[in-house]
Amino acid sequence: IGNNNHLENDTLVLTPAEAAKQIGVSKTVMYNDLLKREDFPSYRLNSKFYISKKGLQEWIDKQVSKK
């Protein structure tokens, strides 16, 4: 995720596979844990999940600040 330049040039959302790769977790962890969490910035449209790029960065920042 790093800098925010890609947020302006890209889509506003990631697929679960893309988000998993960005944050370094497996797709299994993404589907079996993160997408089920109330505080994770995802939503479901029909049968597909999407993750907000901005929300993902904010969520990561909150996780780091909890330490």
Side-chain angles (χ1 to χ4, degrees):
I1 291 199
N3 64 37
N4 290 331
N5 291 343
H6 70 282
L7 289 176
E8 296 167 5
N9 301 328
D10 235 345
T11 61
L12 297 175
V13 297
L14 296 166
T15 65
E18 292 168 334
K21 186 174 180 180
Q22 288 285 317
I23 63 174
V25 300
S26 68
K27 286 190 267 183
T28 301
V29 168
M30 179 61 67
Y31 281 98
N32 291 345
D33 180 23
L34 298 177
L35 290 174
K36 294 179 180 179
R37 292 177 59 154
E38 293 264 335
D39 67 333
F40 193 71
S42 64
Y43 64 95
R44 192 173 187 159
L45 187 58
N46 296 322
S47 63
K48 293 188 178 188
F49 283 98
Y50 298 94
I51 296 99
S52 159
K53 283 185 180 179
K54 183 176 181 189
L56 182 60
Q57 183 63 60
E58 291 169 358
W59 182 82
I60 290 168
D61 292 343
K62 285 179 188 171
Q63 302 314 300
V64 172
S65 69
K66 286 181 181 180
K67 283 187 141 188

